Amino acid sequence: MDIVDHKIKVRERVWRELRKVAVPDSRFHFDFGEFIADFEGGEAAVQRLVDHEFYQKSNYIFITPDNCLDRLRLKALEDGKTVLMTTYSIKRGFWLLDPKTIAPELYLYASTLDGMERVGRPVTLKELADMPKVDYMVTGTGAINTKGIRFGKGHGFFDSEWGMLYQIGRISTETPSAAVVHDCQLLDEELTPDVYDTVADAIFTPTRTILVDGPHKPTCGILWDRLDPVMFETIPPLQELKAMGL
């Protein structure tokens, strides 16, 4: 079985089980190839993350726009932490949610994909380069093995976000990253990360906290010769990064 067939079979197996516990998306229903689902027990998984030292020591957190992380964005704002995120598919770039500039009664709205574009503010890579370094990177994912190697939808958005922030010096190989998933998304099989794959330092499920020893952190930035041309055409920050000569 080649790697493509293997990935298809793994996704089919995981998505079959995920459908039993997933919360359908308002737009994509149960099409897990298009979004990262919230799930039963999501509150417990996020609470495990919040209780961990990576979160406790962070003031400035990047959180992906995944459905399972809405409650984390809300909790971070309530805890006075600044949240950096992107729009769905990064098509409208990076957005900053600063709890000091948002009315507390709007925190819940701000934590949603619709609300963050009305309450937060867009930031360019040039602006981000002059801001503090990001303390923590958090993502959802389609599946992940116990060694922190993600097995996502296949679009590479989180790896691109990591690559852009790395190239402008806002994160380093010391910046911890975490994944929030349901237990059914946790794999036992061996996976090999590519040079640009960001491996999680910690995995939080409703029932488990898994810490990864020495996870791979890419230092290659964006590999332009391997970048999907459609991603470059539809993601303004990638165009900005290219224009910056990075």
Side-chain angles (χ1 to χ4, degrees), residues 134-148:
V134 174
D135 298 319
Y136 194 14
M137 300 280 287
V138 182
T139 184
T141 189
I144 191 169
N145 75 354
T146 54
K147 294 183 179 179

Side-chain angles (χ1 to χ4, degrees), residues 122-135:
V123 283
T124 65
L125 292 183
K126 184 178 180 182
E127 290 174 306
L128 285 173
D130 293 327
M131 293 180 184
K133 290 189 175 182
V134 174
D135 298 319

Side-chain angles (χ1 to χ4, degrees), residues 11-24 28-32 35 37-40 182 184-185:
R11 287 193 177 100
E12 288 175 348
R13 186 182 80 234
V14 171
W15 291 350
R16 184 169 56 250
E17 293 304 308
L18 182 60
R19 190 181 178 97
K20 299 175 184 178
V21 297
V23 178
F28 296 114
H29 190 47
F30 287 111
D31 185 356
F32 301 130
F35 78 107
D38 193 11
F39 46 79
E40 295 176 11
H182 191 271
C184 74
Q185 296 172 282

Side-chain angles (χ1 to χ4, degrees), residues 8-237:
I8 290 173
K9 289 188 177 299
V10 169
R11 287 193 177 100
E12 288 175 348
R13 186 182 80 234
V14 171
W15 291 350
R16 184 169 56 250
E17 293 304 308
L18 182 60
R19 190 181 178 97
K20 299 175 184 178
V21 297
V23 178
D25 184 74
S26 60
R27 178 181 177 188
F28 296 114
H29 190 47
F30 287 111
D31 185 356
F32 301 130
E34 295 298 331
F35 78 107
I36 300 298
D38 193 11
F39 46 79
E40 295 176 11
E43 297 89 348
V46 166
Q47 188 60 54
R48 285 177 174 275
L49 183 149
V50 168
D51 291 340
H52 191 266
E53 64 175 340
F54 289 158
Y55 177 87
Q56 296 291 333
K57 293 180 178 180
S58 299
N59 294 311
Y60 184 20
I61 307 177
F62 175 84
I63 305 174
T64 55
D66 296 323
N67 291 16
C68 60
L69 298 178
D70 284 1
R71 58 180 63 89
L72 176 60
R73 294 191 290 272
L74 173 59
K75 176 61 174 171
L77 292 174
E78 292 174 340
D79 289 342
K81 301 178 188 289
T82 301
V83 175
L84 179 66
M85 60 183 296
T86 54
T87 62
Y88 179 79
S89 302
I90 328 179
K91 289 182 178 178
R92 290 184 299 284
F94 288 85
W95 289 70
L96 195 72
L97 302 176
D98 184 347
K100 295 188 295 295
T101 64
I102 300 172
E105 60 269 22
L106 292 178
Y107 286 172
L108 177 59
Y109 185 50
S111 69
T112 66
L113 290 188
D114 287 336
M116 69 98 171
E117 291 194 60
R118 291 166 174 80
V119 179
R121 71 178 182 92
V123 283
T124 65
L125 292 183
K126 184 178 180 182
E127 290 174 306
L128 285 173
D130 293 327
M131 293 180 184
K133 290 189 175 182
V134 174
D135 298 319
Y136 194 14
M137 300 280 287
V138 182
T139 184
T141 189
I144 191 169
N145 75 354
T146 54
K147 294 183 179 179
I149 302 172
R150 294 176 300 106
F151 194 103
K153 304 190 304 293
H155 301 309
F157 293 129
F158 186 65
D159 294 323
S160 295
E161 291 155 348
W162 176 281
M164 288 186 280
L165 292 174
Y166 183 87
Q167 284 193 246
I168 63 172
R170 293 307 85 196
I171 57 174
S172 72
T173 56
E174 301 301 312
T175 306
S177 68
V180 174
V181 295
H182 191 271
D183 292 276
C184 74
Q185 296 172 282
L186 196 59
L187 308 175
D188 290 324
E189 48 243 82
E190 291 293 323
L191 300 171
T192 302
D194 207 323
V195 64
Y196 53 76
D197 285 334
T198 306
V199 178
D201 294 81
I203 306 163
F204 300 98
T205 82
T207 66
R208 301 175 68 182
T209 296
I210 300 170
L211 302 181
V212 178
D213 184 34
H216 172 259
K217 297 295 182 61
T219 59
C220 59
I222 302 298
L223 297 177
W224 300 106
D225 60 335
R226 296 180 63 176
L227 182 67
D228 182 346
V230 174
M231 289 187 70
F232 182 77
E233 293 167 5
T234 58
I235 298 178

